[in-house]
Amino acid sequence: MKNVILMLSIMGLISTSFAQSVQLKGAVHSIEGDSIPGASVMLIGAVDSLLKTYAITDKNGAFKLVGVKSGDYIAKVSFYGYQPLEYGFSVDQSGDNQQLPIFHLEPKLLDAVVIDEHFQPIQIKGDTLEYDSRAFEVKEHDVVEDLLKQLPGVEVQEDGSIKVQGKDVQQVTVDGEKFFGEDASVATKNLPANAVSKIQVFDKTSEQSEFTGIDDGSETTTINIKLKESHKKGVFGNIALSGGSEIPTNESLRYETKGNVFYFKKDWQISLIGMSNNINQTGFTFSDYRNFMGGAQTMRRGGGDLGGLSLSDGNADDGFLTTHATGINVSYKPSDKTTLSTSFFLNNFDKTYQKSLFRETYYNDSTFFTDEFAVQNSNSINGRGTLFFQQKFDSTQQLNFNLWGELGETAYLNDNLIKNYNSEDGLFSSFTTALNQDDFNYSFNSSADYRKKFLKPGRYTGLDLAYDRDNSDIQTYLSYLNTLVNDGVPVETVTNQDQYTLSTTDNFSGAWTWSEPITKNQLLQADLGYKRSSESRNRSVYDILDDQQSENIVLSGLGDYLQTSYYGELRHKFIANTFNTTIGLNYEHLILSGAAIFASSQPYDYIFPNLRIDWDPNKKSNLRIDYTTSINAPSLNQLQPLQDNTNPSQLILGNTDLTPEYAHRLNLRFRNINQYNFSFFMANITGEYTENNIVYSQNLNEFYVTELSPENIGSEKSLSAFAAYGASVHRLKTKFRIRGNGSVSNGLVNLNQTQDAYTTYSFSPVISIENIGKSIVDLRSGLGYNYSINTYKDNSSFNNDYQNINYYVNMTFKLKDRWEFNPIFQHYFYPDFETNNEIMLLDFNIALNLLESRKLQIFVSGKDLLNQNTGFNQYYLQNIYERELTETLGRYVMLGLKYSFERFGGQ
């Protein structure tokens, strides 16, 4: 409790001193004397031209500016359809509230040119919110992310993700062009802030909607970074390097180097980025690291998931990771009709991972305990590239082409020891395993779409084609010693095997669309489509005895699985200014086939109703109701009875009797976003009902090996809710956000051939607070709580509940444009666990800008100064409790240099 009180006290420090601050009152009218509600009044410092505060006039045209300190200011008043007005004045040190005069706006004349020496910090242009970077203070070494933190309504999360008025930003473009594909954080973490002219925020509709003018309901929250004219013709970037060691041992050298170069000229954008480190930084995008961790065909956890050896679960903070990465992005737009952009990443990851794990597994008639120890090394090199091409033949025809591809190879070494005990602490089995695996894989996907619109509004046609392929070639050497204890007598079995697995997945789809207007605001649309998905697997397993190979026919096998579907959909669209509906009915004929799986082809016929309602009662609010239905066909791994023995303590079986799942999903979403005062409220409720739910049943056989087998077990129901509210409190100079998640799910599980019903509840509220003015101090803090309950109808001994609490404080203090101090503190509580129920993490960074230009920076960074990053994790999952401890990177300190460079002009 003391720690929580301390945290709340620190959060309270966000509220800066208000001594000698005043409140300004005023009103905005037309020249005829009519009040103007909704006009923006922005207070700008006369000396530094920075935005200090702002207000929006109420229904009577009145406004208040609070927390204003003494000084010289310019009031910038604007409203759509009127010429902006500026008023200069001073606030004295008396501390008395001040009444401003009534501001009278003149109507904007048609085709008039208004010369404005000042700038408007924030403008609302239709559906676009535009920020002028000149109103916000940025330092020499700041990146775009540092600028975004200062913008009203914009939140930068601890992981680098971005929210605008509560909505997740899914795409970042530079001057309207894609930047390193769809990886939003690459631009915000690498582009220098002083290169930015404006930040534009808007909901980007799909390319089809933009071309046809018909809203298809698809939108992507997008940030567009407009560069300064000077930076559109030149070279700029930076380079940084640092080194140090772990303390107090000084045993291992720690280093990090990174840099970037940006070249912009006329129709070209060329960007090059690179990095290398051994401090567990994952590269420029976490997706590349996740793909590296996902390369192993064995499952991630030995207990919680479906078999396989216990490998790293993908958390970059666990273990010891060395990363080398580079990337290039090229955009070329020779005309308004042609766009070409491409990017390529090359990554090398090397990770060492050491883990100890304790597990309790509960059955209705017994409980057993597991101790597990794992040592793993994995090394991967992979390349990933994207290509986008768009050609507009004329105003009625457009062709888009997308290509994505990846090629990589990963080598795994894994040693694993598993010991199982009964409730009397008696050892009844142990498994010692050594695995050496090499995985060569490639994948690509391509898509092309053609759109043609006609003179009659709403009439258009389109053709979509897509093809993708995944290929994995795995060679594995597996050696294990199984020890089963029967009546106190251990019986040992030694197995040495070579395994070769070639897996390929091919997907092809094609669809034709026609849209026909039937009235001014009604459309009838039809789709015809074909989809083909094939999976093939060729697995050969050889037992090794006396250096001789003999095929293991039980574990070897061929598998081919084909899903073919033909579908047709009819949709009716009603489109009005504030109210849109879409009602559709889709028929699909699905055929599942595979000679090694089914005796004959398995045909299925489905009807999929769908409904969407969009209502905008005003410019600030939106209500959306979505009802969809879909199927999920079983995969080849679930169908084919080919045993996976990479974890000898668990056995994965197939089930050829599986049928597709049929899911209903109803979603209600409400948003209220005030672009004037940057407050928002969002609520989302989703209900799902799945028939023929596929669940993995667990059975402990006579050899104390857990058998996992997929089955269609009844239905699963779930309900989840999300709500968030955020606003700025100018009197306290803070902005805050409160959000909460809640869910409940109900289904069936099969444990040791006994079926039981489970219900899971979870609740997770979070509050975050940060200050508004960040030119000197950037202070962010938050408090999170999570509570989960798992209950079982017949086996109450499986019931469990747990909670955890965490809070953080992240402060950056900038002193006289030279010094920068950045402490980061995180505190985690696990009150329901007996051990390791509290962890505190402290990082500290200090930087000093040198030279008159401030382009050279020297910095010191310290990580985990309390040395508590133990890699500890624990959780409940169905009938399993696990507690694991991973050896990981601890306390270290590094000293580094950073240099920024630029060269502009025509040369």
XYZ file of all heavy atoms in Angstrom, residues 140-175:
278
model
N 17.385 18.925 -31.035
C 18.184 18.502 -32.171
C 18.102 16.999 -32.420
O 17.990 16.555 -33.550
C 19.650 18.904 -31.958
C 20.590 18.419 -33.048
C 20.231 18.972 -34.416
O 19.861 20.160 -34.510
O 20.323 18.204 -35.397
N 18.121 16.189 -31.368
C 18.170 14.736 -31.546
C 16.813 14.067 -31.342
O 16.735 12.842 -31.245
C 19.202 14.131 -30.593
C 20.604 14.612 -30.860
N 21.376 14.114 -31.883
C 21.355 15.578 -30.258
C 22.541 14.725 -31.896
N 22.562 15.622 -30.913
N 15.746 14.864 -31.294
C 14.408 14.285 -31.175
C 13.999 13.619 -32.488
O 14.351 14.078 -33.580
C 13.383 15.365 -30.822
C 13.488 15.815 -29.372
O 14.246 15.166 -28.619
O 12.830 16.796 -29.002
N 13.230 12.546 -32.365
C 12.643 11.887 -33.524
C 11.151 12.219 -33.561
O 10.616 12.881 -32.666
C 12.879 10.365 -33.480
C 14.354 10.044 -33.633
C 12.324 9.756 -32.196
N 10.477 11.764 -34.603
C 9.055 12.084 -34.776
C 8.244 11.642 -33.563
O 7.287 12.305 -33.161
C 8.515 11.429 -36.064
C 6.999 11.560 -36.149
C 9.167 12.066 -37.280
N 8.630 10.543 -32.944
C 7.922 10.065 -31.755
C 7.916 11.124 -30.654
O 6.909 11.291 -29.956
C 8.575 8.776 -31.257
C 7.875 8.141 -30.079
C 8.533 6.844 -29.662
O 9.473 6.896 -28.845
O 8.125 5.790 -30.161
N 9.017 11.863 -30.488
C 9.080 12.919 -29.470
C 8.146 14.071 -29.812
O 7.576 14.704 -28.915
C 10.521 13.432 -29.334
C 11.474 12.342 -28.889
O 11.252 11.772 -27.818
O 12.430 12.057 -29.627
N 7.982 14.370 -31.091
C 7.034 15.404 -31.502
C 5.606 14.952 -31.252
O 4.767 15.726 -30.756
C 7.243 15.736 -32.982
C 6.215 16.670 -33.636
C 6.193 18.027 -32.935
C 6.513 16.834 -35.122
N 5.291 13.692 -31.560
C 3.932 13.181 -31.376
C 3.500 13.248 -29.918
O 2.321 13.479 -29.626
C 3.839 11.737 -31.870
C 4.024 11.514 -33.371
C 3.962 10.020 -33.693
C 2.972 12.262 -34.179
N 4.435 13.069 -28.988
C 4.093 13.099 -27.569
C 3.560 14.461 -27.129
O 2.869 14.563 -26.122
C 5.327 12.735 -26.723
C 5.786 11.295 -26.871
C 7.066 11.052 -26.084
C 7.566 9.636 -26.266
N 8.849 9.402 -25.533
N 3.881 15.505 -27.885
C 3.451 16.852 -27.510
C 2.094 17.226 -28.108
O 1.512 18.236 -27.718
C 4.488 17.878 -27.969
C 5.880 17.662 -27.410
C 6.832 18.756 -27.847
O 6.575 19.934 -27.639
N 7.938 18.364 -28.462
N 1.599 16.452 -29.070
C 0.403 16.854 -29.797
C -0.850 16.541 -28.989
O -1.016 15.414 -28.506
C 0.338 16.130 -31.145
C 1.569 16.263 -32.049
C 1.309 15.597 -33.380
C 1.954 17.724 -32.237
N -1.754 17.496 -28.840
C -3.009 17.228 -28.144
C -3.789 16.106 -28.829
O -3.920 16.082 -30.051
C -3.761 18.562 -28.251
C -2.706 19.589 -28.472
C -1.638 18.905 -29.265
N -4.288 15.178 -28.033
C -5.073 14.069 -28.565
C -4.263 12.881 -29.014
O -4.828 11.849 -29.395
N -2.921 12.995 -28.989
C -2.049 11.903 -29.445
C -1.360 11.281 -28.234
O -0.860 11.995 -27.365
C -0.999 12.394 -30.453
C -0.086 11.258 -30.885
C -1.700 13.005 -31.666
N -1.342 9.955 -28.187
C -0.665 9.229 -27.111
C 0.356 8.267 -27.715
O 0.042 7.537 -28.657
C -1.663 8.412 -26.296
C -2.734 9.214 -25.601
C -3.728 8.280 -24.937
O -3.434 7.763 -23.857
O -4.800 8.065 -25.523
N 1.576 8.282 -27.191
C 2.606 7.319 -27.569
C 2.768 6.350 -26.407
O 3.134 6.751 -25.300
C 3.935 8.011 -27.902
C 4.985 6.973 -28.277
C 3.742 9.012 -29.046
N 2.478 5.063 -26.651
C 2.519 4.075 -25.596
C 3.967 3.691 -25.277
O 4.910 4.012 -26.014
C 1.723 2.827 -26.004
C 0.308 3.143 -26.474
C -0.536 3.792 -25.405
O -0.700 3.246 -24.330
N -1.062 4.972 -25.700
N 4.127 2.977 -24.163
C 5.467 2.566 -23.740
C 6.153 1.676 -24.770
O 7.374 1.679 -24.897
C 5.380 1.822 -22.394
C 4.990 2.718 -21.227
C 5.980 3.830 -20.994
O 7.175 3.550 -20.852
O 5.556 4.999 -20.973
N 5.372 0.889 -25.539
C 5.955 -0.003 -26.539
C 6.154 0.680 -27.889
O 6.558 0.045 -28.859
C 5.087 -1.250 -26.717
C 3.668 -0.920 -27.178
O 3.356 0.277 -27.361
O 2.870 -1.858 -27.348
N 5.862 1.998 -27.972
C 6.056 2.724 -29.221
C 4.809 2.810 -30.086
O 4.799 3.554 -31.072
N 3.775 2.045 -29.771
C 2.536 2.136 -30.536
C 1.868 3.485 -30.267
O 2.113 4.129 -29.246
C 1.589 0.986 -30.181
O 1.254 1.017 -28.803
N 1.012 3.919 -31.184
C 0.450 5.268 -31.147
C -1.065 5.179 -31.141
O -1.666 4.367 -31.857
C 0.924 6.088 -32.360
C 2.455 6.076 -32.459
C 0.418 7.519 -32.291
C 2.969 6.537 -33.797
N -1.695 6.040 -30.340
C -3.138 6.184 -30.335
C -3.480 7.649 -30.571
O -2.822 8.540 -30.041
C -3.744 5.724 -29.002
C -3.653 4.224 -28.750
C -4.280 3.861 -27.407
C -4.177 2.371 -27.131
N -5.048 1.595 -28.035
N -4.506 7.874 -31.379
C -5.025 9.217 -31.600
C -6.464 9.234 -31.132
O -7.312 8.530 -31.689
C -4.936 9.626 -33.079
C -5.581 10.984 -33.290
C -3.485 9.667 -33.531
N -6.729 9.993 -30.073
C -8.054 10.083 -29.471
C -8.633 8.679 -29.248
O -9.769 8.374 -29.551
C -8.968 10.926 -30.350
C -8.535 12.394 -30.370
C -9.259 13.234 -31.368
O -9.521 12.792 -32.468
N -9.585 14.456 -30.999
N -7.781 7.816 -28.704
C -8.197 6.472 -28.320
C -8.086 5.431 -29.397
O -8.155 4.235 -29.106
N -7.889 5.820 -30.655
C -7.843 4.854 -31.759
C -6.395 4.493 -32.080
O -5.515 5.347 -32.113
C -8.537 5.426 -33.001
C -10.020 5.702 -32.800
C -10.682 6.136 -34.095
C -10.216 7.496 -34.544
N -10.939 7.941 -35.760
N -6.153 3.206 -32.353
C -4.813 2.736 -32.687
C -4.423 3.207 -34.085
O -5.169 3.032 -35.054
C -4.748 1.207 -32.645
C -4.884 0.670 -31.232
O -4.230 1.205 -30.329
O -5.659 -0.287 -31.032
N -3.234 3.807 -34.194
C -2.701 4.193 -35.497
C -2.118 2.955 -36.165
O -1.245 2.292 -35.619
C -1.626 5.284 -35.350
C -0.942 5.565 -36.688
C -2.241 6.558 -34.797
N -2.626 2.643 -37.349
C -2.225 1.415 -38.042
C -1.266 1.646 -39.188
O -0.678 0.709 -39.707
C -3.496 0.706 -38.560
C -4.456 0.307 -37.437
C -5.870 0.099 -37.935
O -6.556 1.030 -38.325
N -6.304 -1.142 -37.925
N -1.131 2.913 -39.610
C -0.257 3.188 -40.751
C 0.341 4.578 -40.619
O -0.326 5.515 -40.170
C -1.047 3.078 -42.064
C -0.194 3.204 -43.321
C -1.023 3.054 -44.593
O -2.088 3.645 -44.710
N -0.552 2.253 -45.533
N 1.625 4.701 -40.985
C 2.308 5.994 -41.026
C 2.894 6.161 -42.421
O 3.610 5.279 -42.911
C 3.417 6.092 -39.962
C 4.216 7.389 -40.137
C 2.824 6.038 -38.561
N 2.572 7.276 -43.075
C 3.122 7.572 -44.393
C 3.974 8.827 -44.315
O 3.854 9.627 -43.378
C 1.996 7.774 -45.426
O 1.148 8.853 -44.989
C 1.154 6.524 -45.566
N 4.837 8.998 -45.299
C 5.691 10.179 -45.397
C 5.374 10.871 -46.712
O 5.550 10.279 -47.781
C 7.183 9.809 -45.317
C 8.065 11.044 -45.480
C 7.495 9.102 -44.001
N 4.868 12.085 -46.610
C 4.391 12.818 -47.788
C 3.434 11.969 -48.626
O 3.488 11.954 -49.865
C 5.579 13.296 -48.642
C 6.251 14.531 -48.052
O 5.579 15.256 -47.293
O 7.436 14.758 -48.334
